[in-house]
């Protein structure tokens, strides 16, 4: 009967060692694991770019107009008197839309109210609408909700 407690102790010790090795492998971050994750991250980053149509309507004429999504300028084409349309690619890591307008006459800065209605139609997303409102000129931004 003396061998029986010694055998039990040995089996418990062996189970603890095997469990410890298993936990060490689960929690260890090796170079091969991070290399695989890096490839997945870059693949998902590239897939987070979506094309969008941009519509912009102004309440009055301006001398300067610039719209950016992220860090890229959006090329706009005049459709009607103060209505514009353009296309852009939206990056989910930087979904900020910046709008800047200046009046025709630099001496008239301030005072006259201007409104700009922005509509963004991104593929697979709900249409986003925002109205910019300012005295004289607009220098503002909005974050897209997608």
């Amino acid at each position: 009967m003396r061998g029986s407690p010694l055998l039990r102790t040995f089996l418990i010790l062996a189970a603890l060692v095997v469990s410890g090795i298993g936990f060490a492998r689960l929690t260890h971050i090796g170079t091969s694991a991070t290399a695989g994750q890096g490839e997945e991250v870059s693949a998902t980053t590239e897939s987070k770019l979506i094309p969008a149509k941009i519509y912009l309507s102004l309440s009055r004429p301006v001398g300067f107009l610039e719209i950016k999504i992220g860090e890229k300028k959006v090329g706009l084409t005049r459709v009607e008197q103060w209505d514009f349309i353009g296309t852009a690619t939206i990056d989910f890591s930087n979904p900020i839309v910046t709008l800047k307008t200046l009046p025709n006459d630099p001496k008239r800065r301030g005072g006259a109210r201007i409104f700009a209605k922005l509509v963004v139609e991104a593929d697979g997303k709900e249409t986003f609408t925002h109205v910019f409102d300012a005295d004289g000129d607009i220098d503002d931004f909005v974050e897209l909700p997608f």
Side-chain angles (χ1 to χ4, degrees), residues 60-135:
R60 62 182 173 89
V62 295
F64 174 79
L65 171 65
E66 180 181 78
I67 186 167
K68 291 182 180 180
I69 296 183
E71 297 298 321
K72 297 180 181 178
K73 288 183 183 180
V74 176
L76 295 174
T77 304
R78 184 182 303 252
V79 179
E80 290 186 24
Q81 186 176 7
W82 302 322
D83 294 335
F84 300 88
I85 188 170
T87 58
T89 303
I90 299 172
D91 183 1
F92 284 119
S93 66
N94 190 9
I96 305 294
V97 178
T98 306
L99 177 65
K100 184 170 185 162
T101 67
L102 296 173
N104 287 336
D105 184 6
K107 296 175 190 171
R108 293 187 59 211
R109 293 184 85 171
R113 225 150 168 82
I114 184 170
F115 302 94
K117 180 181 176 184
L118 171 71
V119 178
V120 179
E121 293 179 351
D123 289 350
K125 303 293 179 184
E126 282 191 39
T127 300
F128 175 77
T129 303
H130 179 76
V131 176
F132 295 93
D133 174 17
D135 287 328

Side-chain angles (χ1 to χ4, degrees), residues 52-67:
K53 291 183 182 176
I54 310 299
Y55 301 93
L56 186 68
S57 298
L58 302 174
S59 62
R60 62 182 173 89
V62 295
F64 174 79
L65 171 65
E66 180 181 78
I67 186 167

